[in-house]
Amino acid sequence: MTLKASNLISRNFASVLKSVLKHEYRFYTFAGGRGSLKSSFISIAIIMLIITFRFVNVLVLRKVSNTLLDSVFAQLQWAIGMLEADDYFKCTTSPMKIIYKPTGQTILFRGVDKPSKIKSIKLKTGYFAVAWYEESTEFTPEEIRSVNQSVMRGGGKDALFWFFDSFNPPIHRDNWKNKEILQPKENRLVHYSTIYDAPID
């Protein structure tokens, strides 16, 4: 299978993709408004991670579970199609999951409106190496820490993890997410984009 990610992401994200595939950071934060391509980039990066690393399983999260289908689930289906990898993935809505058929690696989708269910998630093989918080301003810091702790229980001492979070920067500077990204954090890359960074086509 030939991946054509270089033709699918804008130049503003090219160095970030290299960083993700090299695992230069554990935390990747993407701030940008509508049309800034942040979710498109994350979805492509996640599919590439699954194909590249056989141990990668993915947990995709929204604050409320009934928003998953028309947002992140559809976004990842788009990425699979753009990478011409449809034959390699099986997508189901009941239950909502995406399976990489050659290895059985899985993308699961959950809302944090029922956090206890996240702690009970089990995988047949491997561990959740990737978590994606879409619209992360809708979460509380405590919810994100709790889920991260649950995710990081798997994989063992030398496990690799990628935590993606994406959000539209709130108007109010006092919002917790606006404050968080201004604080230096070891092992985190913060990326900013706008609709003006997107190619016209």
Side-chain angles (χ1 to χ4, degrees), residues 60-80:
V60 182
L61 303 125
R62 290 290 306 264
K63 173 69 173 182
V64 180
S65 57
N66 65 12
T67 61
L68 291 163
L69 181 63
D70 294 328
S71 59
V72 285
F73 186 78
Q75 184 67 64
L76 283 157
Q77 286 182 300
W78 169 87
I80 291 167

Side-chain angles (χ1 to χ4, degrees), residues 6-190:
S6 60
N7 297 330
L8 301 177
I9 62 174
S10 70
R11 293 180 181 178
N12 191 30
F13 289 92
S15 63
V16 188
L17 180 61
K18 292 179 182 177
S19 175
V20 168
L21 294 176
K22 292 179 180 178
H23 194 261
E24 292 181 342
Y25 300 90
R26 174 173 287 181
F27 300 95
Y28 289 86
T29 294
F30 296 87
R34 183 179 295 274
S36 61
L37 304 182
K38 59 187 185 300
S39 297
S40 298
F41 169 78
I42 294 171
S43 63
I44 288 172
I46 284 175
I47 299 304
M48 293 190 68
L49 286 172
I50 287 178
I51 294 171
T52 304
F53 301 104
R54 294 175 63 90
F55 59 86
V56 166
N57 293 281
V58 182
L59 183 61
V60 182
L61 303 125
R62 290 290 306 264
K63 173 69 173 182
V64 180
S65 57
N66 65 12
T67 61
L68 291 163
L69 181 63
D70 294 328
S71 59
V72 285
F73 186 78
Q75 184 67 64
L76 283 157
Q77 286 182 300
W78 169 87
I80 291 167
M82 294 302 288
L83 288 166
E84 300 179 3
D86 299 84
D87 292 341
Y88 297 88
F89 288 88
K90 179 182 179 181
C91 303
T92 64
T93 57
S94 184
M96 194 183 301
K97 63 181 176 180
I98 297 174
I99 298 174
Y100 183 49
K101 293 190 286 189
T103 62
Q105 291 161 262
T106 304
I107 304 174
L108 294 181
F109 301 81
R110 292 292 186 274
V112 184
D113 41 346
K114 297 181 179 179
S116 60
K117 289 190 175 182
I118 293 174
K119 294 182 179 179
S120 62
I121 295 175
K122 302 294 182 184
L123 290 166
K124 290 183 179 179
T125 58
Y127 65 100
F128 288 112
V130 174
W132 175 17
Y133 299 87
E134 171 69 323
E135 301 295 350
S136 56
T137 51
E138 297 177 353
F139 300 84
T140 67
E142 292 75 21
E143 287 170 334
I144 292 177
R145 280 194 292 269
S146 176
V147 174
N148 285 354
Q149 288 170 359
S150 296
V151 170
M152 292 178 66
R153 279 201 290 262
K157 181 181 178 181
D158 298 320
L160 299 180
F161 296 98
W162 291 260
F163 293 97
F164 298 105
D165 77 272
S166 49
F167 67 101
N168 189 344
I171 295 174
H172 300 292
R173 290 187 298 176
D174 290 338
N175 180 277
W176 75 269
K177 198 65 184 179
N178 283 336
K179 290 181 177 180
E180 183 194 61
I181 61 176
L182 294 176
Q183 299 297 321
K185 180 177 180 178
E186 185 180 359
N187 216 6
R188 180 178 69 186
L189 174 68
V190 178

